Amino acid sequence: MCGACDLAALAAGVLSFCALPRGSRVPAALAFLNALTPDRFTAVYRIEGMSISNVHMFDRLAGHGRDETISPVAQTFCLWIQETLSVVQMS
C-alpha cells in the first residue's frame, strides 16, 4: 500500500473518531490502540503520590472496563514509573 493510501485511511479514522460523542472517545481510542499491539490490555492510569489507579481500561477479551483498585506504585508492573519515581525521589 502506498504512503498516500495510508494517510487517507488515517485521516478517515481520525474523522470517524472526532465524530464520536465525547463520552465514547476514550473507550474507542483505547480499543484502537489495543488493536495495534499484541497485548491484551490497554489502559490509562492516574498516579497520585506513590499510588496508581486504573482510570480507563480496554480488555481485548471483555471490552471496555474500569478497575478502581488503588495500588502502591512499587507493587505494580510498570517498571518505567517505578524507575522515574526513584529518580525524582533521589533529586
Side-chain angles (χ1 to χ4, degrees), residues 51-83:
S51 297
I52 187 170
S53 61
N54 178 292
V55 178
H56 294 280
M57 178 180 68
F58 182 83
D59 177 346
R60 187 168 290 160
L61 301 180
H64 184 73
R66 184 175 182 166
D67 172 13
E68 298 188 24
T69 303
I70 298 174
S71 303
V73 172
Q75 294 177 5
T76 66
F77 67 93
C78 191
L79 295 176
W80 180 84
I81 293 172
Q82 292 178 26
E83 290 172 2

Side-chain angles (χ1 to χ4, degrees), residues 33-49:
L33 292 171
N34 185 265
L36 300 175
T37 73
D39 302 316
R40 177 178 170 184
F41 298 101
T42 302
V44 175
Y45 293 91
R46 173 178 291 129
I47 301 170
E48 295 182 53

